[in-house]
Amino acid sequence: MHPTEEDEEDHKALHGASPQTAERARDVTRGFLTAVAAPAGDGTDAVLLVVSELVTNAVRHAGGVTRFRLVAGPGTVTVTVEDASSTAPTLRRSCVGEPGGFGWQLVRELSEDVEVSTRPGGKTVSALLALSH
């Protein structure tokens, strides 16, 4: 029996899990990156950092993650986090000495592309990251 394209896609995607802490989301992501044989280095570190920021923002500002998805493409990973707030993230001006306020800027700088879509009952934030620079 040969795997179908759909089966192959399932090996390159993780969806449905809803980790409620950045630590758990990073653990899931490390396992995913290992399973898809992502090369270690700056690209995987950036994916882990974006996962941390998006999950932390969902927990801190939107009551938690309602859906978490990772999809591997050729040389890329797309991180998608859904939550129950329809308020889109915004850049915040912060003083260097104050904690927080840098995560959304970091997500935007590390990602090749970021999309935010709102819907009744929540939003979806997706970030596309290159695995090698």
Side-chain angles (χ1 to χ4, degrees):
M1 187 166 128
H2 297 288
T4 65
E5 189 173 307
E6 189 173 303
D7 291 335
E8 219 170 55
E9 179 65 22
D10 283 344
H11 295 329
K12 297 178 184 175
L14 170 75
H15 47 84
S18 296
Q20 293 302 312
T21 66
E23 180 181 17
R24 177 68 183 127
R26 284 190 306 272
D27 289 345
V28 169
T29 302
R30 281 187 197 96
F32 175 79
L33 292 170
T34 299
V36 298
D42 291 344
T44 57
D45 291 342
V47 171
L48 291 168
L49 189 51
V50 167
V51 163
S52 290
E53 291 299 333
L54 293 179
V55 169
T56 297
N57 287 347
V59 170
R60 182 174 290 157
H61 303 293
V65 175
T66 57
R67 186 166 185 224
F68 179 73
R69 180 179 168 114
L70 301 165
V71 177
T76 65
V77 170
T78 301
V79 177
T80 303
V81 175
E82 294 183 15
D83 62 48
S85 171
S86 58
T87 303
T90 58
L91 290 177
R92 200 174 101 188
R93 294 193 183 266
S94 297
C95 294
V96 175
E98 294 179 15
F102 300 99
W104 184 237
Q105 177 74 25
L106 200 56
V107 167
R108 291 171 41 130
E109 287 180 15
L110 292 173
S111 303
E112 300 292 317
D113 187 38
V114 178
E115 293 182 8
V116 178
S117 58
T118 58
R119 63 188 186 295
K123 72 176 163 298
T124 301
V125 180
S126 295
L128 174 70
L129 293 102
L131 286 175
S132 59
H133 290 90

